[in-house]
Amino acid sequence: MRERIVEAASKEIRRSGLRFTMGELAKQLGMSTKTLYGYFPSKDVLIATILHKAIVELQEKEKDIMGNPDLTTLDKLKRCLILIPTDFQFIELNLITELQRYYPDQWKTLDQFLNKQWDSITELFQEGINQGWLRPFNTKIFIDLYVGGLYRLIEDSTENKSSITLHEGLRDMGEILLSGIIKKEG
């Protein structure tokens, strides 16, 4: 039942963001609000559960990419930089702003994850340098640019300057950071 509730809440988040009520969710699930609160004592706990599930999914996807012998180091790097949980592939960035504004504890969890989970990427950077695919560079600055760029995309979505999805934003940002903006000759 917990999984069914999490799935229904995830679907509601994709549909209308984080502003759904527990009463609306209970009604969709055909249960009383009291029963729903028996599984999740608050909406905060439900959102935290969904976020935890998304982070675990990202870690599993990254592990699968890292262990795939058919991918080159650069392919692994590109795929890892645009990883997004399945349920959130096409969300707009303003959802993250809602999380930041209305669920600060859950935002803190996401923020820590975004800033701390770079070991595999750093490993790929070093492999790419050793293989001659990448030039030596300051990996900390790259990570700071990536995270800072993500935060800027989030800010722009709040101010309605951008209507791109999270996937589009990460894809474009990763491409610019990895390939640069100089047109290749020949």
Side-chain angles (χ1 to χ4, degrees):
M1 181 55 78
R2 283 180 62 86
E3 187 58 37
R4 187 170 156 236
I5 294 167
V6 167
E7 180 58 36
S10 294
K11 193 177 291 185
E12 188 61 25
I13 290 169
R14 286 190 307 273
R15 190 176 73 76
S16 61
L18 294 169
R19 296 181 186 204
F20 70 92
T21 68
M22 293 293 270
E24 292 166 348
L25 185 61
K27 186 176 179 181
Q28 285 180 19
L29 289 164
M31 65 175 61
S32 71
T33 305
K34 182 178 179 180
T35 301
L36 178 58
Y37 279 113
Y39 288 99
F40 293 95
S42 70
K43 187 174 170 187
D44 284 12
V45 172
L46 178 56
I47 300 294
T49 301
I50 293 168
L51 182 60
H52 175 74
K53 179 183 172 197
I55 288 172
V56 167
E57 180 186 338
L58 287 176
Q59 290 169 329
E60 289 171 358
K61 283 181 172 185
E62 184 178 274
K63 185 178 177 183
D64 289 345
I65 291 168
M66 294 297 290
N68 187 336
D70 297 328
L71 296 174
T72 67
T73 300
L74 292 180
D75 289 336
K76 290 177 184 181
L77 187 57
K78 287 177 183 178
R79 289 182 184 200
C80 283
L81 287 174
I82 62 167
L83 277 178
I84 300 171
T86 304
D87 282 347
F88 299 99
Q89 288 286 327
F90 301 104
I91 64 167
E92 291 188 11
L93 289 164
N94 60 3
L95 178 67
I96 298 172
T97 302
E98 284 184 38
L99 183 72
Q100 192 176 22
R101 181 176 297 144
Y102 301 114
Y103 300 93
D105 291 340
Q106 291 76 3
W107 165 251
K108 184 177 178 182
T109 299
L110 179 59
D111 182 55
Q112 288 173 344
F113 175 75
L114 290 172
N115 283 287
K116 303 282 187 240
Q117 299 298 319
W118 286 91
D119 292 345
S120 296
I121 300 288
T122 302
E123 183 181 309
L124 289 171
F125 288 154
Q126 193 56 54
E127 281 180 31
I129 291 167
N130 293 343
Q131 295 168 347
W133 289 102
L134 300 174
R135 65 174 181 78
F137 64 98
N138 186 322
T139 57
K140 181 175 180 346
I141 290 175
F142 181 97
I143 293 166
D144 288 346
L145 286 169
Y146 184 91
V147 173
L150 174 59
Y151 290 164
R152 183 62 191 182
L153 287 171
I154 294 166
E155 286 173 19
D156 285 353
S157 74
T158 304
E159 299 167 6
N160 293 322
K161 293 181 184 174
S162 174
S163 62
I164 63 174
T165 65
L166 180 58
H167 183 263
E168 292 167 336
L170 292 178
R171 182 198 62 217
D172 292 350
M173 191 171 55
E175 184 65 31
I176 290 168
L177 286 172
L178 290 175
S179 300
I181 58 171
I182 298 174
K183 188 175 180 179
K184 306 267 190 259
E185 291 187 33

